[in-house]
Amino acid sequence: KKQKWWGEQSRFRVLTQTPRGRGTQAAQTAVLRTGACPGFTAAHLLLHLEVRSQVGRQRETPLYLQNRYQLYLAQADAQPTEAETAVWNQVNAVLEEAQTILAELQSYTGAGLEIREAIQNPNDLQLQEKAWNAVCPLVAKLKRFYEFSLRLENALRSLLEALTSPPYAPTQHLEREQALAKQFAEILHFTLTFDEFKMTNPAIQNDFSYYRRTLSRNRINNLQLDAESDVNNEMANRMSLFYAEATPMLKTLSNATTKFVSENKTLPIEDTTDCLSTMACVCRVMLETPEYRSRFTNTETLLFCMRVMVGVIILYDHVHPVGAFAKTSKIDMKGCIKVLKDQPSTSTEGLLNALRYTTRHLNDDTTSKQIRALLQ
């Protein structure tokens, strides 16, 4: 019996990704108890079991979800409860506009031809005017994108407040407020998609650079520009900082999450990081488990889960003191990276680059050589 018990325990340890070196009796008992519910199968247990020492005692924190919750990221019909309605409505208005923003960004072609002709013929006033008239509406569009990032930042803050507020633990919030958790996932999906489009469209930087140069030149010459009232020098400076980032939307959310933690000093940082790590684990298990992968009806759902996973990893890495790559991290980084690398490179290279270049702790001494090698 003892041999069988330990065999089962070992099997569940692999399934739940319990960190090695933490195989305490409490952990072993909790794992088996978690797996002893009626009708239990290995697929029901989605997240790892963590046993933490707090105030000199062992506290069990089982981060797992039942079948009714396991696919919340891929469900489109999560309806808000009465308590969630106010925040849900605020965020939903932002998410509805997000679809328009993505459509406009995806169709953004730029004014490259007009700009080249104007630069090659600096004394041709007609070509200068043609280039300016072509660039101004595009810069107005870029301004809308920037202003939308501020609205997205406010929406994220509202979600963080709702999903981390006492007295409930983060995992309880995610179970109780699945509609808000779904919105959080949708924000991250939008953010990674926006940044992928931006990174592959050099016309954005070219158009905006030309606009700023022309703005400065005409200001020196005391010429008034019709578009200056819409995108003046001060606004142009703020937009320039935004678009200078390789992943501007992700940078905005990372800064917002860091600011949220720093401004809520009475809120344990674990409440925020546990929320993020839980979502990362859900995505990873959904992607690497054939039973769940088989439920994805299209490629976009697969991309949705991958983008959400990468998004919460990056937020976690910005907020947590030692980041997502340390051995003490609650995110299985090796598993997450492997899931991404198992997909076609055309759909994941941008996500892998986001992990390479927009995280804070990848190059820390606490990051294992194996993880660094996986991201090379």
Side-chain angles (χ1 to χ4, degrees):
K1 290 183 179 178
K2 183 177 181 180
Q3 183 178 6
K4 182 179 179 181
W5 188 88
W6 278 102
E8 288 296 301
Q9 192 275 334
S10 177
R11 185 168 66 86
F12 282 118
R13 177 186 295 280
V14 174
L15 290 170
T16 58
Q17 297 294 309
T18 304
R20 292 183 177 180
R22 299 186 184 184
T24 63
Q25 182 66 33
Q28 296 158 2
T29 304
V31 170
L32 290 178
R33 186 170 64 246
T34 303
C37 60
F40 174 81
T41 65
H44 286 108
L45 194 55
L46 293 191
L47 300 180
H48 66 283
L49 181 75
E50 188 80 30
V51 177
R52 297 184 302 182
S53 176
Q54 185 178 30
V55 198
R57 65 185 177 84
Q58 292 286 328
R59 184 178 70 173
E60 295 176 10
T61 311
L63 303 181
Y64 64 90
L65 304 171
Q66 298 300 329
N67 267 340
R68 62 188 178 82
Y69 182 42
Q70 64 195 21
L71 291 176
Y72 79 91
L73 289 175
Q75 289 173 346
D77 58 349
Q79 296 300 313
T81 62
E82 185 175 349
E84 299 171 82
T85 301
V87 173
W88 190 90
N89 286 337
Q90 174 201 347
V91 178
N92 188 57
V94 176
L95 288 172
E96 286 180 349
E97 186 179 352
Q99 301 308 310
T100 303
I101 295 292
L102 283 182
E104 291 185 0
L105 177 59
Q106 193 170 13
S107 62
Y108 189 102
T109 55
L113 177 61
E114 292 85 350
I115 291 173
R116 282 194 299 273
E117 289 179 343
I119 292 175
Q120 291 168 1
N121 302 278
N123 297 322
D124 191 326
L125 296 181
Q126 187 174 359
L127 289 178
Q128 305 306 311
E129 184 178 357
K130 181 180 179 183
W132 179 254
N133 291 335
V135 164
C136 282
L138 294 174
V139 170
K141 185 177 293 187
L142 295 179
K143 179 188 175 186
R144 287 201 305 276
F145 297 166
Y146 167 72
E147 290 175 334
F148 180 78
S149 75
L150 304 180
R151 294 186 60 201
L152 196 72
E153 180 180 353
N154 290 332
L156 179 74
R157 182 181 182 87
S158 296
L159 287 174
L160 286 173
E161 289 174 350
L163 293 172
T164 60
S165 60
Y168 302 109
T171 47
Q172 290 175 308
H173 275 298
L174 290 175
E175 246 187 294
R176 289 169 56 88
E177 289 126 24
Q178 293 186 30
L180 297 186
K182 179 64 163 52
Q183 287 185 320
F184 195 174
E186 289 174 343
I187 283 179
L188 292 170
H189 176 253
F190 162 81
T191 298
L192 271 293
T193 306
F194 180 97
D195 287 346
E196 286 175 19
F197 289 159
K198 185 266 179 186
M199 283 191 292
T200 56
N201 194 338
I204 292 174
Q205 286 286 75
N206 293 338
D207 292 348
F208 194 66
S209 295
Y210 177 82
Y211 176 84
R212 295 200 72 194
R213 291 197 305 271
T214 306
L215 199 65
S216 298
R217 184 171 63 249
N218 283 284
R219 185 177 293 105
I220 292 173
N221 296 330
N222 294 318
L223 296 176
Q224 292 296 319
L225 303 172
D226 293 337
E228 187 171 351
S229 58
D230 294 326
V231 183
N232 56 29
N233 193 54
E234 181 182 354
M235 172 61 74
N237 287 336
R238 294 201 296 269
M239 290 171 59
S240 180
L241 292 175
F242 177 77
Y243 286 108
E245 297 288 341
T247 54
M249 285 290 179
L250 194 54
K251 180 67 172 178
T252 298
L253 295 195
S254 298
N255 290 342
T257 307
T258 304
K259 185 178 179 181
F260 171 80
V261 171
S262 64
E263 290 180 349
N264 291 271
K265 298 186 183 301
T266 58
L267 183 70
I269 192 171
E270 290 84 1
D271 284 10
T272 303
T273 55
D274 283 358
C275 176
L276 299 173
S277 63
T278 298
M279 295 181 71
C281 289
V282 171
C283 291
R284 175 181 59 78
V285 175
M286 287 171 63
L287 290 166
E288 70 184 9
T289 307
E291 179 184 344
Y292 303 141
R293 278 284 298 271
S294 64
R295 303 187 191 186
F296 296 162
T297 56
N298 55 57
T299 305
E300 190 58 32
T301 305
L302 185 66
L303 285 171
F304 181 94
C305 288
M306 290 192 291
R307 286 170 181 151
V308 173
M309 182 180 72
V310 170
V312 291
I313 287 172
I314 293 171
L315 295 187
Y316 182 102
D317 192 64
H318 277 75
V319 170
H320 198 281
V322 298
F325 299 95
K327 291 181 180 179
T328 56
S329 169
K330 291 186 177 180
I331 298 178
D332 177 8
M333 286 304 305
K334 291 179 185 176
C336 292
I337 296 170
K338 186 177 184 302
V339 161
L340 293 174
K341 301 198 99 175
D342 285 343
Q343 314 305 320
S345 59
T346 53
S347 60
T348 59
E349 189 59 27
L351 298 177
L352 289 168
N353 283 336
L355 291 177
R356 291 178 184 120
Y357 305 122
T358 64
T359 48
R360 294 179 59 187
H361 296 278
L362 174 60
N363 295 316
D364 289 0
D365 293 337
T366 54
T367 302
S368 71
K369 293 181 180 179
Q370 186 177 4
I371 288 179
R372 289 181 189 173
L374 283 172
L375 283 175
Q376 285 180 353

PDB file of all heavy atoms in Angstrom, residues 81-110:
ATOM      1  N   THR A  81     -21.716  38.861 -13.058  1.00  0.00           N
ATOM      2  CA  THR A  81     -22.702  38.864 -11.983  1.00  0.00           C
ATOM      3  C   THR A  81     -23.050  40.314 -11.668  1.00  0.00           C
ATOM      4  O   THR A  81     -22.441  41.257 -12.189  1.00  0.00           O
ATOM      5  CB  THR A  81     -22.129  38.189 -10.729  1.00  0.00           C
ATOM      6  OG1 THR A  81     -20.992  38.946 -10.278  1.00  0.00           O
ATOM      7  CG2 THR A  81     -21.686  36.758 -11.035  1.00  0.00           C
ATOM      8  N   GLU A  82     -24.020  40.498 -10.780  1.00  0.00           N
ATOM      9  CA  GLU A  82     -24.440  41.856 -10.432  1.00  0.00           C
ATOM     10  C   GLU A  82     -23.281  42.646  -9.833  1.00  0.00           C
ATOM     11  O   GLU A  82     -23.120  43.842 -10.113  1.00  0.00           O
ATOM     12  CB  GLU A  82     -25.599  41.791  -9.432  1.00  0.00           C
ATOM     13  CG  GLU A  82     -26.194  43.157  -9.105  1.00  0.00           C
ATOM     14  CD  GLU A  82     -27.411  43.047  -8.203  1.00  0.00           C
ATOM     15  OE1 GLU A  82     -27.912  41.927  -8.002  1.00  0.00           O
ATOM     16  OE2 GLU A  82     -27.852  44.096  -7.704  1.00  0.00           O
ATOM     17  N   ALA A  83     -22.459  41.977  -9.021  1.00  0.00           N
ATOM     18  CA  ALA A  83     -21.328  42.653  -8.387  1.00  0.00           C
ATOM     19  C   ALA A  83     -20.261  43.057  -9.394  1.00  0.00           C
ATOM     20  O   ALA A  83     -19.500  44.001  -9.165  1.00  0.00           O
ATOM     21  CB  ALA A  83     -20.725  41.746  -7.312  1.00  0.00           C
ATOM     22  N   GLU A  84     -20.183  42.365 -10.511  1.00  0.00           N
ATOM     23  CA  GLU A  84     -19.160  42.643 -11.524  1.00  0.00           C
ATOM     24  C   GLU A  84     -19.599  43.674 -12.550  1.00  0.00           C
ATOM     25  O   GLU A  84     -18.769  44.191 -13.306  1.00  0.00           O
ATOM     26  CB  GLU A  84     -18.802  41.365 -12.287  1.00  0.00           C
ATOM     27  CG  GLU A  84     -18.237  40.230 -11.475  1.00  0.00           C
ATOM     28  CD  GLU A  84     -18.131  38.961 -12.306  1.00  0.00           C
ATOM     29  OE1 GLU A  84     -17.142  38.845 -13.048  1.00  0.00           O
ATOM     30  OE2 GLU A  84     -19.034  38.113 -12.232  1.00  0.00           O
ATOM     31  N   THR A  85     -20.882  43.973 -12.595  1.00  0.00           N
ATOM     32  CA  THR A  85     -21.450  44.717 -13.721  1.00  0.00           C
ATOM     33  C   THR A  85     -20.790  46.059 -13.963  1.00  0.00           C
ATOM     34  O   THR A  85     -20.467  46.405 -15.116  1.00  0.00           O
ATOM     35  CB  THR A  85     -22.966  44.917 -13.509  1.00  0.00           C
ATOM     36  OG1 THR A  85     -23.590  43.636 -13.399  1.00  0.00           O
ATOM     37  CG2 THR A  85     -23.576  45.677 -14.672  1.00  0.00           C
ATOM     38  N   ALA A  86     -20.552  46.847 -12.908  1.00  0.00           N
ATOM     39  CA  ALA A  86     -20.001  48.196 -13.085  1.00  0.00           C
ATOM     40  C   ALA A  86     -18.635  48.141 -13.759  1.00  0.00           C
ATOM     41  O   ALA A  86     -18.386  48.850 -14.747  1.00  0.00           O
ATOM     42  CB  ALA A  86     -19.911  48.907 -11.736  1.00  0.00           C
ATOM     43  N   VAL A  87     -17.745  47.307 -13.244  1.00  0.00           N
ATOM     44  CA  VAL A  87     -16.409  47.197 -13.840  1.00  0.00           C
ATOM     45  C   VAL A  87     -16.508  46.580 -15.230  1.00  0.00           C
ATOM     46  O   VAL A  87     -15.843  47.031 -16.173  1.00  0.00           O
ATOM     47  CB  VAL A  87     -15.479  46.354 -12.942  1.00  0.00           C
ATOM     48  CG1 VAL A  87     -14.146  46.103 -13.632  1.00  0.00           C
ATOM     49  CG2 VAL A  87     -15.267  47.041 -11.599  1.00  0.00           C
ATOM     50  N   TRP A  88     -17.345  45.561 -15.374  1.00  0.00           N
ATOM     51  CA  TRP A  88     -17.481  44.877 -16.661  1.00  0.00           C
ATOM     52  C   TRP A  88     -17.932  45.855 -17.740  1.00  0.00           C
ATOM     53  O   TRP A  88     -17.399  45.832 -18.858  1.00  0.00           O
ATOM     54  CB  TRP A  88     -18.478  43.731 -16.546  1.00  0.00           C
ATOM     55  CG  TRP A  88     -18.499  42.825 -17.734  1.00  0.00           C
ATOM     56  CD1 TRP A  88     -17.758  41.708 -17.950  1.00  0.00           C
ATOM     57  CD2 TRP A  88     -19.331  42.970 -18.910  1.00  0.00           C
ATOM     58  NE1 TRP A  88     -18.050  41.145 -19.170  1.00  0.00           N
ATOM     59  CE2 TRP A  88     -19.018  41.884 -19.781  1.00  0.00           C
ATOM     60  CE3 TRP A  88     -20.296  43.888 -19.286  1.00  0.00           C
ATOM     61  CZ2 TRP A  88     -19.643  41.726 -21.001  1.00  0.00           C
ATOM     62  CZ3 TRP A  88     -20.910  43.732 -20.530  1.00  0.00           C
ATOM     63  CH2 TRP A  88     -20.585  42.663 -21.369  1.00  0.00           C
ATOM     64  N   ASN A  89     -18.904  46.707 -17.439  1.00  0.00           N
ATOM     65  CA  ASN A  89     -19.393  47.677 -18.421  1.00  0.00           C
ATOM     66  C   ASN A  89     -18.303  48.659 -18.829  1.00  0.00           C
ATOM     67  O   ASN A  89     -18.170  49.011 -20.009  1.00  0.00           O
ATOM     68  CB  ASN A  89     -20.599  48.436 -17.866  1.00  0.00           C
ATOM     69  CG  ASN A  89     -21.858  47.583 -17.836  1.00  0.00           C
ATOM     70  OD1 ASN A  89     -21.975  46.607 -18.570  1.00  0.00           O
ATOM     71  ND2 ASN A  89     -22.797  47.933 -16.980  1.00  0.00           N
ATOM     72  N   GLN A  90     -17.524  49.124 -17.845  1.00  0.00           N
ATOM     73  CA  GLN A  90     -16.431  50.049 -18.143  1.00  0.00           C
ATOM     74  C   GLN A  90     -15.411  49.409 -19.075  1.00  0.00           C
ATOM     75  O   GLN A  90     -15.011  50.001 -20.085  1.00  0.00           O
ATOM     76  CB  GLN A  90     -15.739  50.479 -16.845  1.00  0.00           C
ATOM     77  CG  GLN A  90     -14.496  51.331 -17.094  1.00  0.00           C
ATOM     78  CD  GLN A  90     -13.532  51.352 -15.912  1.00  0.00           C
ATOM     79  OE1 GLN A  90     -13.883  50.926 -14.818  1.00  0.00           O
ATOM     80  NE2 GLN A  90     -12.313  51.826 -16.124  1.00  0.00           N
ATOM     81  N   VAL A  91     -15.018  48.196 -18.765  1.00  0.00           N
ATOM     82  CA  VAL A  91     -14.007  47.508 -19.561  1.00  0.00           C
ATOM     83  C   VAL A  91     -14.568  47.095 -20.919  1.00  0.00           C
ATOM     84  O   VAL A  91     -13.871  47.157 -21.939  1.00  0.00           O
ATOM     85  CB  VAL A  91     -13.463  46.285 -18.803  1.00  0.00           C
ATOM     86  CG1 VAL A  91     -12.448  45.525 -19.652  1.00  0.00           C
ATOM     87  CG2 VAL A  91     -12.842  46.711 -17.476  1.00  0.00           C
ATOM     88  N   ASN A  92     -15.832  46.709 -20.950  1.00  0.00           N
ATOM     89  CA  ASN A  92     -16.436  46.264 -22.202  1.00  0.00           C
ATOM     90  C   ASN A  92     -16.456  47.385 -23.234  1.00  0.00           C
ATOM     91  O   ASN A  92     -16.252  47.140 -24.435  1.00  0.00           O
ATOM     92  CB  ASN A  92     -17.865  45.770 -21.947  1.00  0.00           C
ATOM     93  CG  ASN A  92     -18.466  45.111 -23.169  1.00  0.00           C
ATOM     94  OD1 ASN A  92     -17.916  44.150 -23.697  1.00  0.00           O
ATOM     95  ND2 ASN A  92     -19.596  45.635 -23.638  1.00  0.00           N
ATOM     96  N   ALA A  93     -16.697  48.616 -22.777  1.00  0.00           N
ATOM     97  CA  ALA A  93     -16.692  49.749 -23.707  1.00  0.00           C
ATOM     98  C   ALA A  93     -15.314  49.913 -24.347  1.00  0.00           C
ATOM     99  O   ALA A  93     -15.193  50.221 -25.538  1.00  0.00           O
ATOM    100  CB  ALA A  93     -17.090  51.021 -22.969  1.00  0.00           C
ATOM    101  N   VAL A  94     -14.274  49.689 -23.569  1.00  0.00           N
ATOM    102  CA  VAL A  94     -12.912  49.776 -24.093  1.00  0.00           C
ATOM    103  C   VAL A  94     -12.641  48.635 -25.065  1.00  0.00           C
ATOM    104  O   VAL A  94     -12.058  48.830 -26.135  1.00  0.00           O
ATOM    105  CB  VAL A  94     -11.893  49.748 -22.932  1.00  0.00           C
ATOM    106  CG1 VAL A  94     -10.463  49.730 -23.462  1.00  0.00           C
ATOM    107  CG2 VAL A  94     -12.102  50.956 -22.019  1.00  0.00           C
ATOM    108  N   LEU A  95     -13.071  47.432 -24.702  1.00  0.00           N
ATOM    109  CA  LEU A  95     -12.824  46.278 -25.560  1.00  0.00           C
ATOM    110  C   LEU A  95     -13.578  46.376 -26.880  1.00  0.00           C
ATOM    111  O   LEU A  95     -13.088  45.897 -27.911  1.00  0.00           O
ATOM    112  CB  LEU A  95     -13.221  44.992 -24.824  1.00  0.00           C
ATOM    113  CG  LEU A  95     -12.290  44.578 -23.682  1.00  0.00           C
ATOM    114  CD1 LEU A  95     -12.878  43.405 -22.900  1.00  0.00           C
ATOM    115  CD2 LEU A  95     -10.907  44.215 -24.221  1.00  0.00           C
ATOM    116  N   GLU A  96     -14.749  46.971 -26.867  1.00  0.00           N
ATOM    117  CA  GLU A  96     -15.477  47.153 -28.122  1.00  0.00           C
ATOM    118  C   GLU A  96     -14.708  48.072 -29.065  1.00  0.00           C
ATOM    119  O   GLU A  96     -14.642  47.839 -30.274  1.00  0.00           O
ATOM    120  CB  GLU A  96     -16.867  47.718 -27.830  1.00  0.00           C
ATOM    121  CG  GLU A  96     -17.829  46.699 -27.228  1.00  0.00           C
ATOM    122  CD  GLU A  96     -19.200  47.281 -26.955  1.00  0.00           C
ATOM    123  OE1 GLU A  96     -19.346  48.534 -27.039  1.00  0.00           O
ATOM    124  OE2 GLU A  96     -20.141  46.510 -26.664  1.00  0.00           O
ATOM    125  N   GLU A  97     -14.111  49.127 -28.508  1.00  0.00           N
ATOM    126  CA  GLU A  97     -13.310  50.030 -29.346  1.00  0.00           C
ATOM    127  C   GLU A  97     -12.022  49.357 -29.800  1.00  0.00           C
ATOM    128  O   GLU A  97     -11.477  49.678 -30.860  1.00  0.00           O
ATOM    129  CB  GLU A  97     -12.978  51.302 -28.560  1.00  0.00           C
ATOM    130  CG  GLU A  97     -12.270  52.348 -29.395  1.00  0.00           C
ATOM    131  CD  GLU A  97     -11.970  53.622 -28.625  1.00  0.00           C
ATOM    132  OE1 GLU A  97     -12.447  53.761 -27.483  1.00  0.00           O
ATOM    133  OE2 GLU A  97     -11.250  54.473 -29.170  1.00  0.00           O
ATOM    134  N   ALA A  98     -11.547  48.397 -29.015  1.00  0.00           N
ATOM    135  CA  ALA A  98     -10.290  47.721 -29.343  1.00  0.00           C
ATOM    136  C   ALA A  98     -10.350  47.049 -30.705  1.00  0.00           C
ATOM    137  O   ALA A  98      -9.347  47.010 -31.439  1.00  0.00           O
ATOM    138  CB  ALA A  98      -9.960  46.694 -28.261  1.00  0.00           C
ATOM    139  N   GLN A  99     -11.494  46.519 -31.063  1.00  0.00           N
ATOM    140  CA  GLN A  99     -11.617  45.855 -32.360  1.00  0.00           C
ATOM    141  C   GLN A  99     -11.440  46.841 -33.507  1.00  0.00           C
ATOM    142  O   GLN A  99     -10.813  46.534 -34.528  1.00  0.00           O
ATOM    143  CB  GLN A  99     -12.987  45.166 -32.459  1.00  0.00           C
ATOM    144  CG  GLN A  99     -13.228  44.131 -31.388  1.00  0.00           C
ATOM    145  CD  GLN A  99     -12.095  43.111 -31.302  1.00  0.00           C
ATOM    146  OE1 GLN A  99     -11.682  42.542 -32.316  1.00  0.00           O
ATOM    147  NE2 GLN A  99     -11.576  42.884 -30.110  1.00  0.00           N
ATOM    148  N   THR A 100     -11.967  48.055 -33.337  1.00  0.00           N
ATOM    149  CA  THR A 100     -11.796  49.091 -34.352  1.00  0.00           C
ATOM    150  C   THR A 100     -10.335  49.508 -34.456  1.00  0.00           C
ATOM    151  O   THR A 100      -9.799  49.709 -35.557  1.00  0.00           O
ATOM    152  CB  THR A 100     -12.662  50.316 -34.017  1.00  0.00           C
ATOM    153  OG1 THR A 100     -14.033  49.913 -33.911  1.00  0.00           O
ATOM    154  CG2 THR A 100     -12.542  51.393 -35.078  1.00  0.00           C
ATOM    155  N   ILE A 101      -9.682  49.635 -33.295  1.00  0.00           N
ATOM    156  CA  ILE A 101      -8.274  50.016 -33.269  1.00  0.00           C
ATOM    157  C   ILE A 101      -7.428  48.996 -34.021  1.00  0.00           C
ATOM    158  O   ILE A 101      -6.562  49.351 -34.838  1.00  0.00           O
ATOM    159  CB  ILE A 101      -7.784  50.142 -31.810  1.00  0.00           C
ATOM    160  CG1 ILE A 101      -8.502  51.296 -31.090  1.00  0.00           C
ATOM    161  CG2 ILE A 101      -6.268  50.323 -31.766  1.00  0.00           C
ATOM    162  CD1 ILE A 101      -8.151  52.659 -31.594  1.00  0.00           C
ATOM    163  N   LEU A 102      -7.665  47.716 -33.767  1.00  0.00           N
ATOM    164  CA  LEU A 102      -6.895  46.678 -34.449  1.00  0.00           C
ATOM    165  C   LEU A 102      -7.138  46.705 -35.953  1.00  0.00           C
ATOM    166  O   LEU A 102      -6.202  46.526 -36.745  1.00  0.00           O
ATOM    167  CB  LEU A 102      -7.258  45.302 -33.889  1.00  0.00           C
ATOM    168  CG  LEU A 102      -6.661  44.925 -32.528  1.00  0.00           C
ATOM    169  CD1 LEU A 102      -7.090  43.515 -32.154  1.00  0.00           C
ATOM    170  CD2 LEU A 102      -5.140  45.034 -32.544  1.00  0.00           C
ATOM    171  N   ALA A 103      -8.393  46.903 -36.349  1.00  0.00           N
ATOM    172  CA  ALA A 103      -8.707  46.937 -37.781  1.00  0.00           C
ATOM    173  C   ALA A 103      -7.994  48.105 -38.460  1.00  0.00           C
ATOM    174  O   ALA A 103      -7.446  47.959 -39.570  1.00  0.00           O
ATOM    175  CB  ALA A 103     -10.220  47.044 -37.977  1.00  0.00           C
ATOM    176  N   GLU A 104      -7.980  49.261 -37.807  1.00  0.00           N
ATOM    177  CA  GLU A 104      -7.309  50.435 -38.381  1.00  0.00           C
ATOM    178  C   GLU A 104      -5.801  50.226 -38.439  1.00  0.00           C
ATOM    179  O   GLU A 104      -5.145  50.617 -39.416  1.00  0.00           O
ATOM    180  CB  GLU A 104      -7.640  51.686 -37.562  1.00  0.00           C
ATOM    181  CG  GLU A 104      -9.082  52.142 -37.681  1.00  0.00           C
ATOM    182  CD  GLU A 104      -9.331  53.449 -36.947  1.00  0.00           C
ATOM    183  OE1 GLU A 104      -8.376  53.994 -36.355  1.00  0.00           O
ATOM    184  OE2 GLU A 104     -10.482  53.925 -36.953  1.00  0.00           O
ATOM    185  N   LEU A 105      -5.240  49.625 -37.403  1.00  0.00           N
ATOM    186  CA  LEU A 105      -3.801  49.394 -37.390  1.00  0.00           C
ATOM    187  C   LEU A 105      -3.398  48.366 -38.453  1.00  0.00           C
ATOM    188  O   LEU A 105      -2.386  48.526 -39.137  1.00  0.00           O
ATOM    189  CB  LEU A 105      -3.365  48.909 -36.000  1.00  0.00           C
ATOM    190  CG  LEU A 105      -1.884  48.557 -35.843  1.00  0.00           C
ATOM    191  CD1 LEU A 105      -1.004  49.767 -36.159  1.00  0.00           C
ATOM    192  CD2 LEU A 105      -1.602  48.042 -34.441  1.00  0.00           C
ATOM    193  N   GLN A 106      -4.204  47.333 -38.605  1.00  0.00           N
ATOM    194  CA  GLN A 106      -3.881  46.286 -39.575  1.00  0.00           C
ATOM    195  C   GLN A 106      -3.926  46.817 -41.006  1.00  0.00           C
ATOM    196  O   GLN A 106      -3.177  46.354 -41.878  1.00  0.00           O
ATOM    197  CB  GLN A 106      -4.850  45.113 -39.410  1.00  0.00           C
ATOM    198  CG  GLN A 106      -4.417  43.858 -40.138  1.00  0.00           C
ATOM    199  CD  GLN A 106      -5.261  42.660 -39.761  1.00  0.00           C
ATOM    200  OE1 GLN A 106      -6.319  42.791 -39.149  1.00  0.00           O
ATOM    201  NE2 GLN A 106      -4.798  41.471 -40.112  1.00  0.00           N
ATOM    202  N   SER A 107      -4.783  47.797 -41.247  1.00  0.00           N
ATOM    203  CA  SER A 107      -4.914  48.357 -42.597  1.00  0.00           C
ATOM    204  C   SER A 107      -4.041  49.602 -42.805  1.00  0.00           C
ATOM    205  O   SER A 107      -4.131  50.258 -43.844  1.00  0.00           O
ATOM    206  CB  SER A 107      -6.377  48.720 -42.869  1.00  0.00           C
ATOM    207  OG  SER A 107      -6.832  49.722 -41.965  1.00  0.00           O
ATOM    208  N   TYR A 108      -3.206  49.916 -41.832  1.00  0.00           N
ATOM    209  CA  TYR A 108      -2.358  51.111 -41.904  1.00  0.00           C
ATOM    210  C   TYR A 108      -1.261  50.896 -42.953  1.00  0.00           C
ATOM    211  O   TYR A 108      -0.420  50.011 -42.821  1.00  0.00           O
ATOM    212  CB  TYR A 108      -1.734  51.364 -40.529  1.00  0.00           C
ATOM    213  CG  TYR A 108      -1.007  52.689 -40.403  1.00  0.00           C
ATOM    214  CD1 TYR A 108      -1.598  53.762 -39.763  1.00  0.00           C
ATOM    215  CD2 TYR A 108       0.273  52.858 -40.922  1.00  0.00           C
ATOM    216  CE1 TYR A 108      -0.938  54.968 -39.628  1.00  0.00           C
ATOM    217  CE2 TYR A 108       0.942  54.056 -40.807  1.00  0.00           C
ATOM    218  CZ  TYR A 108       0.331  55.114 -40.153  1.00  0.00           C
ATOM    219  OH  TYR A 108       0.980  56.311 -40.028  1.00  0.00           O
ATOM    220  N   THR A 109      -1.284  51.720 -44.000  1.00  0.00           N
ATOM    221  CA  THR A 109      -0.314  51.551 -45.093  1.00  0.00           C
ATOM    222  C   THR A 109       0.759  52.626 -45.105  1.00  0.00           C
ATOM    223  O   THR A 109       1.827  52.421 -45.693  1.00  0.00           O
ATOM    224  CB  THR A 109      -1.045  51.561 -46.446  1.00  0.00           C
ATOM    225  OG1 THR A 109      -1.823  52.763 -46.559  1.00  0.00           O
ATOM    226  CG2 THR A 109      -1.962  50.346 -46.562  1.00  0.00           C
ATOM    227  N   GLY A 110       0.508  53.757 -44.482  1.00  0.00           N
ATOM    228  CA  GLY A 110       1.517  54.802 -44.408  1.00  0.00           C
ATOM    229  C   GLY A 110       1.564  55.685 -45.630  1.00  0.00           C
ATOM    230  O   GLY A 110       0.878  55.449 -46.631  1.00  0.00           O
TER     231      GLY A 110
END
